[in-house]
C-alpha cells in the first residue's frame, strides 16, 4: 500500500507511470471517458481469431501482459496469452494457453475441456492468478496461475456449475482468499446476483455471502456481475461491475461501480445509481452480440489515481476507458 492507501489491483508496486492514458476530452465532465484509439484490439489480430474481447491485462516487467478471450473461426472460445510494451499495441499468442495440471485430480477436469472465456488476472502475493469461465458440465469458475505468462498452471475449479464472472481480490481479507462470482444457469442467464466466497487455499471455497442484486427498471435490472479485480482504496474496495437490462431487442450490457467494505467485502457501502459506460459507440452497439460493454481489467497508477479499464465491446473487440479514482468514487457516492 502506498502513502495514499491505494494498492494497484494487479501489480506488486503501486506506481504505474506508463499506464496507457488519454486526458479527459475538453468539455467533458464524465467520470470515465473512452480512448480515442478504440477499439485498441481488432477482431482479427491473430490468424484464426473471429473476435478478441472481455480480456484481462496487468502490469508485467515494466510493460504489460494479459490473458485474452479469443473466439476462433470455428467459434470455440478459449484464452491466449499476450504481451505489450504500451498496453495498446498487443502481440497475442497464436496458440491457446496450455494449462499444466497442479495435481492428478486437476487432470480429471481437463479431460472434459469445452471452452474457456472471460478471463480475469490478479496479482496476489507472489504470482498472477487467472480466473475464467470454464466449461465443465456447464459454465463454472476455473482458476490457475502463472509467473511469466508463458507457463500456466491449473488448480481445481472453484465452484459447482453453473457460475460465471469469478473475480479474485488482490489480497487476503481476515486471512482468507476472497472471490466474487455470479451463480447462473446453463444458457444466456436472465437473472444474476453477485456473491462472495472465501478460501484458505484457493481450492476449497465456502462461507458464501450475498453481495448485490439487481435494481428494477434500471440499467442493471436483469443481472449484475463483477468486472475487474477490486481496487483497494481508503474508502473501500472499488468494484467495477456490469449490469444488464432486457430491452425488446435483447440484453444491454453497461457498467458501473460500487464500494465494498474493506474488512467485510460482502457489505456494499455505495453503488452508482447511473452507469459509467453503456453501449453508445458503433463498435459497442454492432458486432457479434449487439449492445455489450463488458469490463474485465483495470490498471491503476497509485500516485496520480489514474485508472484505465479494459472492456470488451459487442463481443467482438477490446476497448479502453480512462478516469480518476477520486472522480469515480465521488460518482459512486454521490449517486448511490
Ligand atoms: C455473457 C458472457 C459474456 C458476453 C455476454 C454478452 O453471458 O458470455 O462473455 O460478453 O454474455 O454476450
Amino acid at each position: 500500500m502506498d502513502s495514499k492507501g491505494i494498492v494497484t489491483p494487479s501489480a506488486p508496486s503501486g506506481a504505474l507511470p506508463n499506464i496507457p492514458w488519454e486526458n479527459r476530452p475538453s468539455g467533458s465532465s464524465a467520470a470515465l471517458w473512452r480512448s480515442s484509439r478504440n477499439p485498441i484490439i481488432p477482431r482479427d489480430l491473430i490468424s484464426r481469431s473471429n473476435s478478441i474481447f472481455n480480456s484481462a491485462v496487468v502490469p508485467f516487467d515494466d510493460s504489460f501482459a494479459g490473458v485474452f478471450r479469443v473466439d476462433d473461426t470455428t467459434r470455440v472460445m478459449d484464452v491466449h496469452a499476450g504481451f505489450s510494451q504500451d498496453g495498446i499495441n498487443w502481440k497475442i499468442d497464436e496458440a491457446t494457453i496450455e494449462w499444466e495440471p497442479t495435481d492428478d485430480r486437476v487432470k480429471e477436469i481437463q479431460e472434459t475441456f469445452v471452452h474457456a472465456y472471460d478471463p480475469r488476472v490478479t496479482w496476489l502475493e507472489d504470482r498472477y492468478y487467472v480466473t475464467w469461465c470454464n466449461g465443465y458440465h456447464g459454465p463454472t469458475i476455473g482458476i490457475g496461475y502463472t509467473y511469466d505468462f508463458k507457463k500456466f498452471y491449473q488448480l481445481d475449479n472453484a465452484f459447482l456449475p453453473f457460475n460465471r464472472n469469478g473475480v479474485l481480490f488482490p489480497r487476503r481479507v481476515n486471512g482468507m482468499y476472497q472471490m466474487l462470482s455470479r451463480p447462473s444457469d446453463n444458457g444466456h442467464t436472465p437473472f444474476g446476483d453477485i456473491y462472495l466466497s472465501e478460501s484458505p487455499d484457493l481450492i476449497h471455497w465456502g462461507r458464501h455471502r450475498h453481495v448485490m442484486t439487481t435494481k428494477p427498471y434500471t440499467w442493471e435490472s436483469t443481472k449484475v456481475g463483477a468486472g475487474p479485480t477490486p481496487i483497494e482504496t481508503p474508502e473501500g474496495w472499488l468494484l467495477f461491475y456490469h449490469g444488464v437490462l432486457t430491452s425488446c431487442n435483447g440484453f444491454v450490457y453497461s457498467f458501473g461501480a460500487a464500494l465494498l467494505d474493506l474488512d467485510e467485502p460482502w457489505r456494499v457501502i455505495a453503488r452508482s445509481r447511473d452507469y459509467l459506460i453503456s453501449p453508445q459507440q458503433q463498435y459497442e452497439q454492432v458486432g457479434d452480440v449487439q449492445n455489450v460493454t463488458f469490463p474485465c481489467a483495470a490498471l491503476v497508477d497509485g500516485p496520480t489515481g489514474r485508472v484505465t479499464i479494459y472492456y470488451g465491446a459487442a463481443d467482438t473487440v477490446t476497448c479502453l476507458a480512462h478516469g480518476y479514482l477520486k472522480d469515480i468514487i465521488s460518482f459512486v457516492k454521490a449517486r448511490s
Side-chain angles (χ1 to χ4, degrees):
M1 189 173 288
D2 74 5
S3 58
K4 294 200 175 73
I6 292 167
V7 170
T8 63
S10 46
S13 97
L16 195 61
N18 59 336
I19 189 171
W21 183 254
E22 276 177 39
N23 287 330
R24 182 187 271 122
S26 60
S28 165
S29 58
L32 217 58
W33 56 93
R34 293 169 176 82
S35 169
S36 65
R37 293 175 280 199
N38 280 350
I40 57 151
I41 301 178
R43 65 185 305 161
D44 56 355
L45 186 70
I46 63 176
S47 52
R48 286 189 61 244
S49 60
N50 166 79
S51 42
I52 306 176
F53 59 108
N54 299 3
S55 298
V57 166
V58 287
F60 176 69
D61 269 0
D62 297 328
S63 58
F64 301 92
V67 175
F68 294 82
R69 170 174 174 174
V70 178
D71 293 6
D72 69 18
T73 46
T74 312
R75 295 305 299 266
V76 172
M77 308 181 278
D78 210 338
V79 287
H80 296 231
F83 299 89
S84 171
Q85 280 305 315
D86 59 6
I88 310 267
N89 297 290
W90 285 90
K91 172 114 185 45
I92 296 178
D93 291 349
E94 291 282 335
T96 59
I97 290 174
E98 295 264 343
W99 296 94
E100 184 83 27
T102 46
D103 64 31
D104 286 345
R105 299 300 311 271
V106 175
K107 282 189 191 154
E108 295 161 8
I109 58 171
Q110 290 184 332
E111 281 162 15
T112 62
F113 175 83
V114 188
H115 49 233
Y117 62 93
D118 293 0
R120 302 338 191 246
V121 181
T122 302
W123 172 261
L124 175 53
E125 296 178 347
D126 62 349
R127 65 194 81 176
Y128 299 94
Y129 283 90
V130 185
T131 54
W132 68 94
C133 189
N134 197 26
Y136 179 75
H137 304 276
T140 186
I141 307 304
I143 172 166
Y145 59 86
T146 183
Y147 296 98
D148 56 9
F149 291 86
K150 291 194 168 74
K151 288 191 81 169
F152 288 83
Y153 303 89
Q154 187 171 352
L155 299 166
D156 220 296
N157 287 336
F159 303 122
L160 290 169
F162 310 109
N163 204 316
R164 293 183 173 98
N165 300 303
V167 178
L168 281 170
F169 280 63
R171 67 165 171 84
R172 300 188 203 210
V173 177
N174 302 319
M176 301 291 261
Y177 298 107
Q178 310 281 325
M179 179 143 60
L180 299 164
S181 72
R182 201 207 55 213
S184 60
D185 66 11
N186 200 12
H188 300 295
T189 314
F191 61 88
D193 290 0
I194 300 175
Y195 285 80
L196 180 76
S197 307
E198 66 176 41
S199 170
D201 57 7
L202 293 161
I203 296 172
H204 304 89
W205 293 89
R207 291 204 161 169
H208 314 290
R209 293 289 179 276
H210 185 261
V211 180
M212 275 169 57
T213 189
T214 53
K215 285 188 194 166
Y217 307 109
T218 69
W219 59 274
E220 47 179 335
S221 50
T222 300
K223 52 183 169 175
V224 288
T229 301
I231 299 164
E232 185 169 16
T233 81
E235 313 246 10
W237 294 102
L238 178 64
L239 174 69
F240 293 99
Y241 67 96
H242 63 262
V244 179
L245 69 73
T246 306
S247 80
C248 46
N249 286 322
F251 290 153
V252 178
Y253 282 73
S254 306
F255 64 92
L259 283 167
L260 309 180
D261 186 88
L262 286 176
D263 299 322
E264 296 184 339
W266 59 93
R267 299 194 194 285
V268 178
I269 297 167
R271 178 172 170 183
S272 59
R273 181 194 67 191
D274 302 337
Y275 59 71
L276 284 160
I277 296 270
S278 81
Q280 296 180 7
Q281 299 296 312
Q282 198 178 11
Y283 52 81
E284 299 162 343
Q285 292 176 321
V286 179
D288 284 356
V289 181
Q290 65 184 6
N291 296 324
V292 183
T293 55
F294 196 99
C296 288
L299 302 176
V300 181
D301 177 39
T304 60
R306 291 178 296 168
V307 183
T308 289
I309 294 178
Y310 288 77
Y311 67 96
D315 283 12
T316 305
V317 291
T318 302
C319 296
L320 290 188
H322 308 290
Y324 286 98
L325 270 183
K326 65 173 179 10
D327 297 343
I328 296 162
I329 290 170
S330 302
F331 181 92
V332 171
K333 284 170 54 177
R335 303 183 202 182
S336 61

